[in-house]
């Protein structure tokens, strides 16, 4: 997996990850990754989900922590990113705040539907009392709005609601995803292949092979993310992720710097 980049890494500042930032970098060095991008959960604003993210006062600590790893030494190069939630009414804050931070990468994710943290194990039981198809539809409507906002570089874990195994019918899913992918393509957005699902009850990469091939048809570029919440997660499942990308027909993935993407060839089979 040498030369690949892991673009989805958290830090202890989010209150639910372990390990120092330097340990994540060391893990990437051991794997021969060319780049890593820290994308910790965006600081809480306006009282949004303070339990799973750093308070705004801690943001300078985050920035300094990442900058201290940008030493110009041997790979991996360390990028400065953020996993920014899309939620109802977030645009005003994000439009003003994001451009001032000097991020390399802004990953857009939906983690809440009507205030319900649908991927939080502690709130999993709610799935048993909702209409699964309606829930997925609401989720993708949020992804449409995320794309339309033009505030993000890529969508994180596109089919995250499958985490615990609750799914709509395949035909319904395709119908929901089409407009989301169309809007992502129109906005010039990328999408991550996120391997965290391999470590969750669903046991699958986000997104599924079918959704990935729908993205390829629209020319949506991909990147790779482990969604690491511990140093040992860095780069995990990347061999499977590369195979998935190749089998789908992707030949390139994107690297990003200062929010400008450029395409580079996928490593060859056998991890060349
Ligand atoms: Zn997290
Ligand atoms: Fe996420
Ligand atoms: Fe994440
Ligand atoms: Zn994530």
């Amino acid at each position: 997996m040498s030369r690949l980049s892991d673009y989805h890494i958290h830090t202890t500042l989010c209150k639910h990850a372990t390990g120092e930032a330097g340990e994540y970098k060391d893990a990437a060095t051991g794997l021969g990754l060319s780049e890593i991008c820290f994308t910790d959960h965006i600081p809480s604003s306006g009282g949004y989900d303070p339990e799973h993210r750093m308070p705004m006062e801690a943001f300078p600590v985050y920035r300094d922590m990442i900058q201290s790893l940008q030493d110009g030494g041997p790979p991996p190069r360390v990028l400065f990113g953020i996993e920014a939630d899309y939620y109802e009414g977030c645009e005003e804050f994000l439009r003003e705040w994001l451009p001032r931070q000097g991020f390399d990468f802004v990953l857009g994710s939906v983690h809440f539907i009507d205030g319900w943290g649908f991927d939080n194990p502690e709130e999993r039981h709610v799935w048993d009392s909702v209409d699964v198809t309606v829930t997925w539809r609401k989720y993708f409507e949020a992804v449409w709005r995320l794309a339309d906002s033009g505030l993000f570089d890529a969508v994180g874990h596109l089919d995250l609601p499958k985490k615990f195994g609750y799914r709509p019918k395949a035909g319904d899913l395709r119908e929901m995803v089409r407009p989301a992918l169309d809007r992502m393509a129109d906005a010039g957005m990328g999408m991550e292949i996120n391997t965290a699902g391999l470590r969750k009850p669903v046991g699958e990469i986000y997104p599924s092979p079918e959704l990935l091939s729908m993205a390829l048809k629209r020319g949506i570029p991909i990147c790779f993310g482990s969604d690491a919440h511990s140093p040992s997660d860095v780069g995990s499942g990347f061999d499977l992720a590369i195979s998935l990308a190749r089998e789908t027909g992707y030949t390139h993935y994107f690297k990003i710097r200062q929010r400008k993407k450029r395409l580079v060839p996928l490593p060859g089979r056998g991890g060349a």
Side-chain angles (χ1 to χ4, degrees):
M1 73 170 78
S2 57
R3 295 199 286 115
L4 266 196
S5 308
D6 188 339
Y7 274 5
H8 195 151
I9 295 179
H10 291 274
T11 78
T12 50
L13 287 171
C14 71
K15 306 170 189 165
H16 60 274
T18 56
E20 296 307 314
E23 296 178 72
Y24 288 82
K25 185 180 180 184
D26 291 345
T29 305
L31 294 169
L33 299 182
S34 70
E35 290 180 335
I36 54 172
C37 184
F38 285 91
T39 49
D40 209 356
H41 297 284
I42 194 168
S44 181
S45 71
Y48 175 78
D49 185 37
E51 295 88 2
H52 302 99
R53 58 203 60 253
M54 65 186 96
M56 192 52 83
E57 310 84 78
F59 183 74
V61 177
Y62 176 59
R63 192 177 43 220
D64 291 350
M65 195 190 250
I66 307 312
Q67 275 175 359
S68 73
L69 297 174
Q70 296 176 318
D71 52 12
R77 182 191 287 263
V78 175
L79 304 182
F80 180 43
I82 201 87
E83 180 175 18
D85 292 60
Y86 179 85
Y87 55 92
E88 201 73 47
C90 67
E91 289 94 334
E92 196 183 338
F93 162 67
L94 294 180
R95 195 163 288 125
E96 188 270 329
W97 188 81
L98 285 175
R100 292 194 286 116
Q101 312 311 326
F103 290 124
D104 288 303
F105 183 41
V106 177
L107 181 62
S109 297
V110 176
H111 296 113
F112 286 84
I113 299 168
D114 299 336
W116 164 38
F118 64 87
D119 78 320
N120 181 347
E122 287 162 28
E123 300 182 55
R124 174 182 177 161
H125 61 276
V126 177
W127 277 103
D128 294 319
S129 61
V130 296
D131 181 315
V132 170
T133 306
V134 169
T135 300
W136 276 77
R137 202 176 297 282
K138 285 184 182 171
Y139 169 82
F140 276 109
E141 284 167 6
V143 177
W144 304 355
R145 291 195 298 274
L146 183 166
D148 285 348
S149 76
L151 293 164
F152 307 88
D153 300 313
V155 172
H157 40 59
L158 180 70
D159 55 0
L160 180 64
K162 74 181 177 185
K163 180 170 176 176
F164 302 120
Y166 300 86
R167 302 172 195 262
K169 290 200 198 87
D172 289 337
L173 177 59
R174 276 194 292 275
E175 176 219 313
M176 297 169 201
V177 170
R178 260 183 227 116
L181 291 173
D182 287 344
R183 288 157 135 108
M184 286 162 62
D186 287 349
M189 290 183 75
M191 186 177 76
E192 71 161 352
I193 297 188
N194 179 310
T195 59
L198 293 168
R199 312 189 296 271
K200 306 298 182 200
V202 69
E204 291 176 13
I205 286 173
Y206 309 111
S208 66
E210 182 173 26
L211 302 196
L212 191 61
S213 81
M214 291 171 72
L216 175 63
K217 285 198 189 85
R218 288 161 176 80
I220 295 172
I222 49 166
C223 64
F224 296 89
S226 65
D227 214 338
H229 285 74
S230 111
S232 61
D233 293 337
V234 172
S236 76
F238 273 25
D239 290 337
L240 283 172
I242 297 170
S243 301
L244 171 63
R246 285 204 162 276
E247 280 157 21
T248 304
Y250 274 95
T251 56
H252 290 70
Y253 70 106
F254 73 82
K255 292 199 173 195
I256 196 165
R257 187 105 5 110
Q258 290 291 298
R259 311 200 59 186
K260 298 241 177 333
K261 300 186 192 78
R262 83 191 149 89
L263 291 177
V264 295
L266 282 171
R269 287 185 199 282

